[in-house]
Amino acid sequence: MRFSPLVERLMEAFRVLPGVGPKTAQRMAMHLLERDREGGQRLAEIVSLALNEVGYCQRCRTLTEQPLCALCESPRRDDALLCVVESPADQLAIEEAGGFQGRYFVLHGHLSPLDGIGPEDIGLDQLEARMAEGGIREVVLATNPTVEGEATAHYIAAQLAEQGVTLSRLAYGVPMGGELEYVDGGTLSRAFNGRLPFRSE
Amino acid sequence: MRFSPLVERLMEAFRVLPGVGPKTAQRMAMHLLERDREGGQRLAEIVSLALNEVGYCQRCRTLTEQPLCALCESPRRDDALLCVVESPADQLAIEEAGGFQGRYFVLHGHLSPLDGIGPEDIGLDQLEARMAEGGIREVVLATNPTVEGEATAHYIAAQLAEQGVTLSRLAYGVPMGGELEYVDGGTLSRAFNGRLPFRSE
C-alpha cells in the first residue's frame, strides 16, 4: 500500500523544491492535508501568481513584478557605480552587508559553454547597451569566486576593456570570524599573497 | 532593500511548510523563479487540487480522493482485525513494516481536552458504529507511545470494553539495531519488565 494516487502526486510534486527528499515531501503533504489546508491553498495561489507575474527588471534584470525594480527607480543611488552579480540572492547579500551605494546588473547565472549558456543568455548584450549610455565610472565584477564565476568575470572584463571604466573584483581572503585551521588552501594562499600592512586602529 | 513585494510574499508563503525557515524559503522561491517555473506551476496546481479533492475514507477515515480507500475496498484483508492509528503516516509505516493483514481506523490526532479535541473530533462515534456492525475479533490500539497516545488508547479501550473484543497494544521495548546506552530510561525499564524467555532459534 501507498497513499491514494492524488496524495502520492502531491508528495511527488514537492520534490521540485530544492533539498526536499521523499521523507520531507511526505511530511509537507501530510502537514497541509491534516493541519493547514487554508495555508496550503494560499501557498498554491501565491506560487502560481508569482511565477506568472514576476519577471526581470528592464534595467538591471533582477526579479520584479514591475517594469523597473525599486532599486533602479531609487534616486538615491550612485549611477557611476555598477555591481555585476550572478543572482538576485547575491545582490541581496551585498545589500544586506551594506556599504555599496551604486546600481546592480544581474546575470541570472554564469557563462557555461558546455550547457549552452552563452553571453546573450546572461544578458551581456544588455550590459553592453547599458555601458554605452555612459556615466559609469567603475564596474565591480561580483560574480562568485568559483571557476565559472571567475571565467565569467574575465569574459566581461575583456568585453568592457575598451570602455575606459575601472573594473574591480571583490577581495579574496580569509572570511571574518573563521578559524585558519579550517580555511581551504586556495583561499589561504590567496590571502597570504594579498596580505596588507598591519594597522592598529 | 528586500526582494520585490511579490517575491517576498512567495518566500513568506513557503513558511507554512514544516521545517521551512526564512533561508530555506528564500532558496525555494529563488529556485522556482530562476530555474523551474514549470515545475512550480505544476506544484501549485497539484497542491490546490489535492487540498480540494482529498478527503477522508468513509469507512476508515484515511486520506483519499475516493469515497472508500483502496485498502477498505480490498477483498484480501482480514475483517476481523482492526488497527487504530493516529495518522495516515502511521498507517503507512505499519503497512510498510508488513505482517498486519487486517483493516485500519485513522483518528487524525489524539484526545487533547486542553485543545478542545474530544472523542467526536477523532471519529470515535464512527469507530463505535463500525464495532456495532460486528465481525471484529481484535482491535490493535496502535496510537503513539506518548502521553496523549496512551491516554487515547485507554479511552478507546474503556469505550470498547463492553464489546467482547480482544484489545491489544503494540509491544514496548528497545528498538532493533539500537544501543542500550542510548535508550531512554522509561523505555529500558519497560523492556526489562516485559522481558521474554530467551530462545536460541
Side-chain angles (χ1 to χ4, degrees):
Chain A
M1 170 239 183
R2 293 291 304 161
F3 292 107
S4 73
L6 191 48
V7 176
E8 289 286 327
R9 275 176 65 202
L10 178 61
M11 283 168 28
E12 191 53 39
F14 278 118
R15 303 285 302 277
V16 301
L17 298 174
V20 174
K23 264 287 168 194
T24 308
Q26 178 182 324
R27 203 155 60 97
M28 288 175 168
M30 288 299 126
H31 178 82
L32 294 189
L33 286 167
E34 297 270 85
R35 274 185 292 274
D36 196 1
R37 293 199 178 212
E38 233 173 85
Q41 284 293 10
R42 230 168 15 241
L43 172 65
E45 280 160 33
I46 294 175
V47 166
S48 181
L49 182 71
L51 294 183
N52 274 327
E53 299 288 324
V54 174
Y56 292 172
C57 170
Q58 285 168 9
R59 194 159 170 77
C60 77
R61 297 193 4 126
T62 198
L63 293 168
T64 177
E65 61 272 25
Q66 303 294 335
L68 287 181
C69 73
L71 206 145
C72 282
E73 293 267 37
S74 168
R76 280 194 298 278
R77 308 287 299 212
D78 185 350
D79 284 312
L81 287 172
L82 185 69
C83 178
V84 178
V85 292
E86 289 188 31
S87 72
D90 294 345
Q91 178 188 11
L92 181 68
I94 293 173
E95 279 298 293
E96 290 196 326
F100 180 69
Q101 283 299 320
R103 307 281 183 183
Y104 287 90
F105 190 84
V106 181
L107 302 173
H108 294 287
H110 44 242
L111 290 176
S112 185
L114 289 178
D115 302 314
I117 298 171
E120 276 85 43
D121 300 303
I122 59 171
L124 295 191
D125 42 348
Q126 205 177 325
L127 177 62
E128 200 146 19
R130 172 100 174 251
M131 298 303 296
E133 293 173 17
I136 293 175
R137 195 175 65 238
E138 177 179 350
V139 174
V140 185
L141 300 167
T143 53
N144 287 327
T146 57
V147 174
E148 298 87 355
E150 294 288 338
T152 305
H154 279 282
Y155 186 94
I156 298 172
Q159 191 187 23
L160 304 184
E162 309 294 296
Q163 306 264 6
V165 295
T166 305
L167 294 173
S168 59
R169 183 108 176 91
L170 296 184
Y172 300 96
V174 291
M176 297 298 294
E179 294 188 44
L180 288 190
E181 186 179 347
Y182 302 112
V183 172
D184 69 288
T187 301
L188 208 48
S189 84
R190 283 270 202 169
F192 238 101
N193 293 334
R195 65 191 179 277
L196 303 165
F198 184 74
R199 283 177 300 181
S200 55
E201 284 159 87
Chain B
M1 171 238 183
R2 294 289 306 158
F3 291 106
S4 72
L6 191 50
V7 175
E8 288 286 328
R9 274 176 66 201
L10 178 62
M11 284 167 28
E12 190 54 41
F14 279 118
R15 303 285 302 277
V16 301
L17 298 173
V20 174
K23 264 287 168 195
T24 309
Q26 178 182 325
R27 202 154 61 97
M28 289 174 167
M30 288 300 125
H31 179 82
L32 294 190
L33 285 168
E34 297 271 86
R35 275 186 290 274
D36 196 1
R37 293 200 179 212
E38 233 173 87
Q41 285 292 11
R42 232 169 12 245
L43 172 65
E45 281 159 33
I46 294 174
V47 166
S48 180
L49 182 71
L51 294 183
N52 273 326
E53 299 288 323
V54 174
Y56 292 174
C57 170
Q58 285 167 10
R59 194 158 170 77
C60 77
R61 297 194 2 129
T62 198
L63 292 168
T64 177
E65 61 273 23
Q66 304 293 335
L68 286 180
C69 73
L71 206 145
C72 281
E73 293 269 36
S74 168
R76 280 194 299 277
R77 308 287 300 211
D78 185 349
D79 283 314
L81 288 172
L82 185 69
C83 179
V84 178
V85 291
E86 289 188 31
S87 72
D90 293 344
Q91 178 188 11
L92 181 68
I94 293 172
E95 279 298 292
E96 290 196 328
F100 180 70
Q101 285 299 320
R103 308 282 184 181
Y104 287 90
F105 189 84
V106 181
L107 303 174
H108 295 285
H110 44 242
L111 290 176
S112 184
L114 288 178
D115 302 313
I117 298 171
E120 275 85 42
D121 301 301
I122 58 171
L124 295 191
D125 43 348
Q126 203 176 326
L127 177 61
E128 199 145 21
R130 172 98 173 252
M131 297 303 295
E133 292 174 17
I136 293 175
R137 196 176 65 239
E138 177 178 351
V139 174
V140 185
L141 300 168
T143 52
N144 287 328
T146 57
V147 175
E148 298 86 355
E150 294 287 338
T152 305
H154 279 282
Y155 186 94
I156 298 172
Q159 190 188 24
L160 304 184
E162 310 293 297
Q163 305 265 6
V165 295
T166 305
L167 294 172
S168 58
R169 183 107 177 89
L170 296 185
Y172 300 97
V174 291
M176 297 298 295
E179 295 187 43
L180 287 191
E181 186 179 349
Y182 303 112
V183 173
D184 69 288
T187 301
L188 207 49
S189 85
R190 283 272 202 167
F192 237 101
N193 293 334
R195 65 191 179 276
L196 304 164
F198 183 74
R199 283 176 302 179
S200 54
E201 285 159 86

